Structures are given as C-alpha cells and as structure tokens.
Amino acid sequence: MELLMVLCLLALFYGLSCLHKIVLRRRDQACYLLGYECYMPTDDMMLHTDSCVKVVIRNKNLGLEEFRFLLKTIVNSGIGEETYCPKNIIEGREDDATLADELLEMDDVIFDTLDKLFAKFSAISPSQIDILVVNVSMFSPAPSLTSRIVNRYKMREDIKTFNLSGMGCSASLIAIDVVQNLFKSYKNVNAIVVSTESISPHWYCGKEKSMMLTNCLFRSGGCSLLFTNNRDLKHQAKLKLNHLVRMHTGSSDEAYNCCIQVEDESGYKGFRLTKYLVKAASQGFTMNLRVLLPKVLPLREILRYLVVSKLKSAKSQKLKADEGIGLNLKTGIEHFCIHPGGRAIIDGIGKSLGLSDYDVEPSRMALYRFGNTSAAGFWYVFGYMEAKKRLKKGNRILMSGFGAGFKCNNIVWEVLKDLDDANVWKDCIDSYPPNTLVNPFIEKYSWLDDETLNFVRFDFSQIAA
C-alpha cells in the first residue's frame, strides 16, 4: 500500500514538473515589440502633382488613352501629394537606374531607421542583436543586405541573419514569423527586422495598363523593428504578439499569376496586376480568418454566429456578398491595421469586416500621406494610431496584408501600455484627417477626358510646361 502511495506521488510530481516546464517554455517564447522606426524621406524626394506629371510625360510610349487611364487610376488610388520616390526617378533616370542607385536607396532607408532605433534604445547596442531579418522583395545583392548591416554596425560573428525576397507587401509579417519561431529555440535574445522595397530600378516605362498600376501606387518607405523574448524587458515593450496565421494559395495558377513580375511585348519589365487579384485576396483572407478568428473572438460571439447562420440556412436564405463575414470582430479586436496597398483593398476589407470609417481611417491616411510603401506600410498605419493616441493598454490590433505568390498573413497584437509617440507623423498629425481626400489631379487635368481631343493632334509634352 505504501509502495502504491509512493508511486502515485512520484507520478503526480512528474506530471507537475512537466507542466511547470511547459509553462516556463511558453513564457520564454513570447515575442515583444520594443520599438520601431519608419523612414521619413527628404523633401527633394517628394512626388507632388507637378513632379509626377513630369515623370509621366517623359514616357514617350504613352498616348491619350494611357494618359486618361493614368488620370483615372491616380485620382481613384487614394494617394495624396506628399508621397516620395527614389532620387533617380525625380532626376529623370527611371529607365537607366544603376547598381549605385539601388544601393543608395537601400542605405538611405536601412541605415537611417536603424541609426534612430539604436539611438532610442541605447541600452541595446548592435552587438547585442542575436537575430537579423531583412525583407526586400525586388533586390538581392551580393554580399547580402544583412551582411551590409552587419558590416556597418560591427555586429557579432554568431548573429543569425536571414534575407527574404519576392515575398511582396506582407513580407514584414513573414519576417516577424521567422523571428517568433527562432524565439522558441533561443532564450533572452534580441532581434531586428528591416522592411523596405527597391523601387529605383523597377519603374515601369511601358504602356500596358495592368503594369502601369504599380507606378501609381508604390512609393518610397521602410521601417526597422526591434523585438525581444526577454521577460525582463517586457515593461519597455509596446506590443506582444498573440497570434500569427499565414496562408499561401500559390498552388492555384490564377492566384500565382495575379501579381507577377514580367516583361511586356516591348521588353519593358514591370509588375502585372490582373483582375483576379481581388478574388485571390478574398479567398486567401477568408481561409486565414477561419483559422484565426476562433483563437481571437469570445465563445459567445462564435455561438451567436453559428445560431444566426443556422437560422438563415433553415430559411434557405443565401448570404449576400455585401453582407460581409457576419461576425462582429470588435468583440475580440479593437483596432484594424489594414495594409495600405490601395483604396480598393482598404475599402473592400473594411466592408467585408463590417468596419466603420473610424476603423479604416489609419490605413486610408497612411496611403494618402505615404502611398503604398510595400511591406513597411503596416507600420505607417500603426504609427498613425499611436500618434492619434488611440492605443491603450490591453487593446488588440489586427494586422492584415497580402503578397505576391499569393499570400495572406494576419497578426494579432496586444498593446502592453498606453502609446502616444508621434513618430514619423509628428510634423503633420494635427492636420489629419484632412477635410477632403480629393486628388488635385482631377482639378488640373480633367480636361484630358474632353472628347474633342480624340479628333486633334496634341503635343502632350506641353502638359508639364
């Protein structure tokens, strides 16, 4: 009898010991965002209406039809007059970018944001960084960009570095996934994620409409993020990563080809965006939410949704497309950080999730002020929320983005303290949101839609004069 009691106690002790180890392991695997820095380009890189028109006019392949298409696209894009582009494009060398132009573009973004990040967190020096992940989809030099950073900041020999390319606009979320998985294997480590995009050699100079869209949307930007899994630094952290779900629908030929780098019939290289892009995004987003939402929403909301869906099914009422997903996401999420890829994407996701204008305002404002800054775009949106003092301790934020391939990635963050850093928005946050988001192109160049131009020859080089 005593032997049985001893065995039971040993089994109980072993079980408690295993449970304790699991709890400690999960605690040490937390992923905290300590800070971030978004890139603010200089004024000589600003692409306002007049400078934008000069760039367009330099393309001798364009005619009246293409000018009208560009006018309509820019006006409907949701982009304002204060976005930025690389210096070689401003200088008129968009069709003749050099390797030096590409490296200069990368150095400006990467070193500017990292210098500011290390200055802000002086307690963590470059030699204390254990993991470095850089994502730039369209540029992969040798030595790598991570090697360029290691060399600049004289980082340790045992640092673990990763370069991600070709991942598209959701690449920063993928880079964060790399970090959080590495955090499961290493204790008390620090990580840096750098997200930007190479635009200088990728300005499309042809006339295919599906490839001209990227010129209207993509602009210069970037960010550097500092992460840790050291619980002793939790009190300094802004965010804690709660959930991350990735979906890849590249097995579908239509999804794979809806956003792809190609050459047009004249040999001009660019990115082709097809009409299937919206459907691919919708399908990937739906698949992702099926996995994510049960982890985020309270049980009562899920039960309510199931009951309502059952009643509708019993009445043979089909759910209309414009009714959205039917779930009230605000029962589990307070803020929505939709990637500012374009007005159609923001409005489409906002409508499907049943979001208000207030909810999608940060994404719209980031798009209007900075344009589509590719993978860094999330953090301009997050910066807007922080500058507006919306983020309070305990709030949860949903980051949603899409990327070529085709990918849909979602992250849910928990805010660890009230946030109020004006960051990259400090010089203009008081003037946002503006009274109107109407693009000045429509006022200055609406005459291009005059039908009489169809019957006359016009020297379009005079437009920018």
Side-chain angles (χ1 to χ4, degrees):
M1 189 69 178
E2 292 182 357
L3 179 61
L4 180 61
M5 180 67 72
V6 170
L7 291 174
C8 289
L9 289 173
L10 287 173
L12 179 61
F13 178 77
Y14 177 76
L16 291 174
S17 177
C18 290
L19 181 61
H20 181 65
K21 288 181 180 179
I22 291 173
V23 171
L24 288 178
R25 189 182 302 119
R26 288 183 63 87
R27 187 183 67 175
D28 292 335
Q29 291 175 359
C31 180
Y32 302 109
L33 173 73
L34 291 176
Y36 70 103
E37 283 293 330
C38 288
Y39 178 60
M40 173 59 81
T42 53
D43 289 343
D44 60 344
M45 297 171 61
M46 189 171 289
L47 196 64
H48 49 71
T49 302
D50 293 336
S51 58
C52 185
V53 169
K54 290 179 181 178
V55 175
V56 172
I57 295 301
R58 285 200 297 262
N59 187 346
K60 303 304 181 183
N61 296 305
L62 305 182
L64 178 60
E65 183 181 353
E66 288 77 29
F67 284 126
R68 286 173 171 170
F69 172 78
L70 284 172
L71 174 65
K72 180 180 179 181
T73 302
I74 293 175
V75 168
N76 294 325
S77 67
I79 290 180
E81 271 207 294
E82 296 182 321
T83 60
Y84 305 88
C85 72
K87 294 177 181 177
N88 70 296
I89 296 175
I90 296 291
E91 294 168 359
R93 297 184 293 105
E94 61 270 16
D95 58 348
D96 191 30
T98 64
L99 177 61
D101 289 324
E102 295 183 78
L103 291 173
L104 176 63
E105 181 185 13
M106 293 297 98
D107 288 351
D108 282 348
V109 176
I110 295 173
F111 297 150
D112 177 80
T113 55
L114 283 177
D115 286 348
K116 292 176 180 176
L117 192 63
F118 286 128
K120 183 179 290 186
F121 292 90
S122 56
I124 299 178
S125 67
S127 63
Q128 293 176 288
I129 302 301
D130 305 279
I131 300 165
L132 174 61
V133 186
V134 174
N135 62 264
V136 179
S137 290
M138 305 295 291
F139 184 46
S140 184
S144 65
L145 292 172
T146 51
S147 294
R148 204 170 178 85
I149 294 171
V150 170
N151 178 260
R152 163 72 178 259
Y153 294 99
K154 308 306 177 187
M155 293 177 168
R156 298 198 320 264
E157 291 81 359
D158 62 344
I159 188 171
K160 289 149 185 76
T161 62
F162 302 85
N163 286 275
L164 306 181
S165 62
M167 294 293 181
C169 292
S170 66
S172 67
L173 305 189
I174 297 173
I176 293 169
D177 189 33
V178 172
V179 168
Q180 77 147 351
N181 278 293
L182 288 169
F183 278 178
K184 296 176 182 178
S185 301
Y186 302 95
K187 293 183 179 180
N188 299 326
V189 294
N190 304 312
I192 289 282
V193 169
V194 180
S195 293
T196 185
E197 190 53 271
S198 173
I199 297 178
S200 58
H202 300 292
W203 193 267
Y204 178 60
C205 297
K207 64 176 183 178
E208 186 175 320
K209 292 179 180 178
S210 63
M211 298 173 70
M212 292 163 61
L213 292 170
T214 54
N215 289 357
C216 300
L217 294 172
F218 285 90
R219 297 292 184 265
S220 295
C223 65
S224 290
L225 317 168
L226 175 61
F227 296 93
T228 188
N229 63 352
N230 187 342
R231 286 182 57 83
D232 292 339
L233 299 177
K234 180 181 178 181
H235 67 284
Q236 299 182 37
K238 292 175 178 284
L239 303 174
K240 177 186 176 184
L241 195 159
N242 281 353
H243 307 285
L244 191 154
V245 177
R246 293 170 55 184
M247 287 291 167
H248 198 309
T249 58
S251 59
S252 163
D253 290 342
E254 289 180 310
Y256 176 82
N257 289 302
C258 72
C259 179
I260 189 169
Q261 186 181 26
V262 295
E263 288 185 351
D264 65 15
E265 294 180 352
S266 301
Y268 292 103
K269 187 183 294 185
F271 243 85
R272 177 178 291 144
L273 306 179
T274 72
K275 293 181 179 180
Y276 190 81
L277 177 62
V278 175
K279 185 175 181 180
S282 176
Q283 291 177 342
F285 193 53
T286 301
M287 293 169 61
N288 194 298
L289 291 181
R290 286 174 182 166
V291 177
L292 178 67
L293 293 186
K295 302 177 181 180
V296 175
L297 299 184
L299 181 59
R300 68 179 184 275
E301 175 59 22
I302 296 175
L303 291 176
R304 183 200 66 79
Y305 171 74
L306 292 174
V307 170
V308 171
S309 298
K310 198 71 174 178
L311 291 174
K312 285 187 175 183
S313 176
K315 295 179 181 180
S316 299
Q317 293 181 350
K318 294 183 178 179
L319 185 66
K320 297 180 181 179
D322 60 358
E323 290 183 4
I325 62 174
L327 285 162
N328 182 7
L329 269 64
K330 294 181 183 179
T331 58
I333 299 168
E334 286 77 25
H335 304 282
F336 300 85
C337 184
I338 303 169
H339 183 266
R343 194 174 76 176
I345 293 176
I346 297 171
D347 292 350
I349 294 180
K351 186 176 182 179
S352 68
L353 298 183
L355 304 183
S356 66
D357 287 342
Y358 177 84
D359 295 323
V360 298
E361 178 187 304
S363 295
R364 285 175 176 166
M365 295 306 105
L367 177 66
Y368 185 79
R369 176 63 181 86
F370 295 99
N372 182 345
T373 52
S374 191
F378 300 103
W379 301 100
Y380 288 92
V381 179
F382 176 80
Y384 183 88
M385 294 178 181
E386 185 174 7
K388 283 292 186 180
K389 301 179 181 180
R390 293 187 176 192
L391 304 175
K392 306 301 180 182
K393 183 178 180 180
N395 286 173
R396 289 146 299 182
I397 306 168
L398 173 64
M399 279 189 179
S400 299
F402 307 95
F406 191 82
K407 309 173 192 70
C408 175
N409 304 310
N410 285 324
I411 288 183
V412 175
W413 299 97
E414 179 184 346
V415 181
L416 297 181
K417 58 185 177 182
D418 293 356
L419 302 178
D420 58 2
D421 184 7
N423 55 81
V424 76
W425 290 90
K426 62 183 178 181
D427 295 330
C428 62
I429 191 62
D430 292 336
S431 61
Y432 277 78
N435 295 327
T436 178
L437 297 180
V438 175
N439 192 295
F441 269 88
I442 193 65
E443 179 181 348
K444 292 185 177 182
Y445 301 104
S446 59
W447 55 266
L448 283 170
D449 288 326
D450 191 332
E451 293 186 2
T452 58
L453 292 178
N454 296 330
F455 308 101
V456 298
R457 297 191 65 179
F458 184 81
D459 183 5
F460 289 98
S461 63
Q462 298 301 314
I463 293 179

